[in-house]
Amino acid sequence: MWSSRWLFVLAAAGSAVGLGNIWKFPYITGENGGGAFVLIYLACVALIGVPIMMAEVLIGREGRQSPINTMRLMVQQHRASPAWVLIGWMGVLAGFLILSYYTVVAGWALNYIWQMASGRFVDVSGPEAGAIFDTFLASPWQLLFWHTLFMMATIYIVARGVLKGLEAAIRWFMPLLFVLLFVLVGYAVTTDGFAQGFEFMFAFHWEDVTANTVLIALGQAFFTLSLGMGAIMAYGAYVPSNASIAGTVGIIALLDTLVAIGAGLAIFPIVFANGLEPGQGPGLMFVTIPLAFGQMPLGVLFGTVFFVLVSFAAITSAISLSEPALAYLVEEYNAKRARVAVSFGVLSWFLGIGSVLSFNAWADLHFLGERTFFDTVDHISQNVMLPLGGMLIALFAGWVLPRTVVGAQLGLQRAWTNVLWKILCGVLAPLGVLAVFAGSLLG
Ligand code: TRP
């Protein structure tokens, strides 16, 4: 068990804060037109994400096992249909899929530690920064090398049974990450793109909203909070019984949102000040941030530290992607943690090669419409599996678990708090997901 509630906050925040905040949030905000997307994303985090995160923690703490076995136990105890255990299995698969490309992008961050330290970005122009990134992406061997290195680091840490060892890392890197984001936002304020960047992120225009924007915002809310695949449920199994779930989840969601908004506020002013394209896609952070550090005094130092921190943030997230699967395999087959970690990691690494190639050799290979291999795996996991998993988790916690169990876990003592929970988790969260699915299917 975590020695205290704070350890859980650190681990869950370590899972939540990652590439989703610093890399993905700005780039999909850019692709989806800015302000309207940000507002819908924030609403999804608060109204759907927070209740579902509470549901994951409470189910995890009630079962105190891997998500699959926790769901088996819950189904037995409360005489529910065994079909609910699918939540656990789908989560294992979603974690596997996400990990496969997550380590590819995390590999880019690793490479950038090196590139920043070598001073390659000092005083470069926007197009030059873009060209450095494009050259890097065009080389499958380079991408494969960094993908492999990052996957090896992840496997090494999870094989050793990690969670505790990471505590120190998280305790140090999180505050530092905040400081560096602050430096970057401070820099962004001084550029002449700030007003435009701010406006881009926060000006709401209805005409920008389509059913698909809402689906992407919802998927992003799930992704950034690590929801819908049992990662938080797996960590929830170690939360001490006396910790307040609502308070803890609130802190995690707040920290996570602050990092995402901070990253956006740092990146968009730089985009506009340098005449770059906000909708340029996955390269956004890898072009703008080095550009900013390249223009700053002490930029080589700060920039290197920044990418070290991003890599740390990514590894604490990558670990949580594998946790539901590894916890289950260890529990069920009494397998050695190291052995299952290597098997899971190698398989996911192998699938990741498809994502590596989708930026170069397979760039013209399309699936599900216009999507590259990378976009396809990303879309299916983030925009389909996570919301679906989250919806099922909310329905389970809202309707299948008895009120007494939920009330005791959440410390709901009054009738109205019980009703509020039922409405949020049992009705609004699942309906929200359903509405978004329906909307995007209908186009
Ligand atoms: N939340 C992490 C990020 O923002 C990624 C992540 C870790 C994740 N664990 C997850 C996403 C579980 C979905 C489900 O980078």
Side-chain angles (χ1 to χ4, degrees):
M1 213 168 290
W2 308 106
S3 53
S4 76
R5 168 182 151 185
W6 280 106
L7 219 56
F8 171 71
V9 171
L10 284 174
S15 165
V17 175
L19 297 172
N21 309 60
I22 305 164
W23 160 71
K24 195 165 222 176
F25 170 75
Y27 106 68
I28 60 179
T29 298
E31 282 182 344
N32 288 283
F37 177 84
V38 173
L39 190 80
I40 298 169
Y41 156 80
L42 291 176
C44 289
V45 166
L47 297 176
I48 300 181
V50 166
I52 292 181
M53 191 185 269
M54 288 172 63
E56 283 207 28
V57 179
L58 93 83
I59 296 173
R61 190 165 76 174
E62 183 70 19
R64 293 224 184 272
Q65 296 175 48
S66 68
I68 291 178
N69 280 331
T70 284
M71 290 310 297
R72 283 184 178 152
L73 183 69
M74 296 293 106
V75 159
Q76 271 170 18
Q77 279 182 353
H78 306 294
R79 303 222 169 76
S81 155
W84 290 105
V85 179
L86 270 177
I87 293 175
W89 288 106
M90 194 170 67
V92 165
L93 182 62
F96 176 79
L97 295 177
I98 296 175
L99 184 66
S100 78
Y101 69 83
Y102 202 85
T103 48
V104 173
V105 179
W108 303 352
L110 275 185
N111 170 264
Y112 266 57
I113 298 177
W114 175 244
Q115 305 238 40
M116 292 305 301
S118 71
R120 196 127 177 242
F121 286 96
V122 175
D123 287 329
V124 295
S125 67
E128 281 164 350
I132 295 176
F133 183 71
D134 291 341
T135 312
F136 173 55
L137 276 198
S139 159
W141 291 108
Q142 285 259 359
L143 298 198
L144 185 65
F145 173 79
W146 297 100
H147 165 54
T148 309
L149 198 64
F150 191 87
M151 187 63 95
M152 278 167 47
T154 306
I155 294 175
Y156 177 75
I157 297 177
V158 292
R160 297 180 36 156
V162 246
L163 304 178
K164 297 237 184 69
L166 275 183
E167 183 205 345
I170 300 172
R171 206 168 257 183
W172 287 102
F173 95 71
M174 283 281 245
L176 250 178
L177 186 64
F178 270 97
V179 171
L180 272 195
L181 274 178
F182 212 77
V183 171
L184 272 174
V185 175
Y187 170 82
V189 171
T190 67
T191 65
D192 53 11
F194 188 74
Q196 211 182 339
F198 194 86
E199 143 99 27
F200 180 78
M201 272 188 76
F202 297 112
F204 187 90
H205 299 292
W206 266 113
E207 64 274 17
D208 296 340
V209 182
T210 65
N212 211 36
T213 325
V214 186
L215 176 67
I216 295 172
L218 180 74
Q220 174 64 14
F222 277 96
F223 188 89
T224 193
L225 295 173
S226 303
L227 296 181
M229 51 84 56
I232 298 294
M233 199 187 287
Y235 282 5
Y238 305 102
V239 177
S241 318
N242 58 1
S244 148
I245 291 183
T248 313
V249 164
I251 296 172
I252 296 163
L254 186 70
L255 281 177
D256 187 76
T257 306
L258 284 177
V259 174
I261 297 291
L265 277 179
I267 287 176
F268 287 114
I270 299 166
V271 167
F272 293 112
N274 292 279
L276 298 171
E277 196 36 63
Q280 63 182 266
L284 186 65
M285 155 187 142
F286 292 93
V287 173
T288 50
I289 292 196
L291 187 61
F293 283 123
Q295 297 165 359
M296 243 182 256
L298 291 182
V300 169
L301 176 67
F302 280 160
T304 309
V305 174
F306 180 82
F307 281 99
V308 169
L309 294 174
V310 171
S311 305
F312 258 116
I315 209 158
T316 54
S317 301
I319 287 165
S320 75
L321 284 165
S322 69
E323 187 56 26
L326 302 194
Y328 171 71
L329 292 169
V330 168
E331 228 165 58
E332 192 68 11
Y333 302 105
N334 213 350
K336 281 232 169 54
R337 216 182 139 86
R339 180 169 292 173
V340 290
V342 170
S343 321
F344 187 81
V346 167
L347 287 176
S348 188
W349 171 85
F350 187 73
L351 183 68
I353 296 177
S355 290
V356 162
L357 295 175
S358 73
F359 293 99
N360 34 66
W362 288 1
D364 296 322
L365 207 59
H366 294 296
F367 308 83
L368 300 181
E370 291 287 274
R371 295 186 174 88
T372 62
F373 186 89
F374 164 84
D375 291 330
T376 308
V377 179
D378 182 32
H379 175 73
I380 293 175
S381 52
Q382 164 161 340
N383 298 337
V384 180
M385 296 175 81
L386 297 183
L388 189 62
M391 181 173 80
L392 294 175
I393 289 168
L395 287 173
F396 188 80
W399 299 102
V400 180
L401 285 183
R403 217 175 71 184
T404 45
V405 169
V406 174
Q409 281 291 352
L410 297 182
L412 305 176
Q413 276 148 3
R414 289 169 222 274
W416 72 268
T417 49
N418 266 305
V419 173
L420 181 68
W421 169 255
K422 195 86 164 185
I423 294 177
L424 272 178
C425 180
V427 182
L428 284 183
L431 267 187
V433 175
L434 204 65
V436 174
F437 270 146
S440 77
L441 279 184
L442 299 175

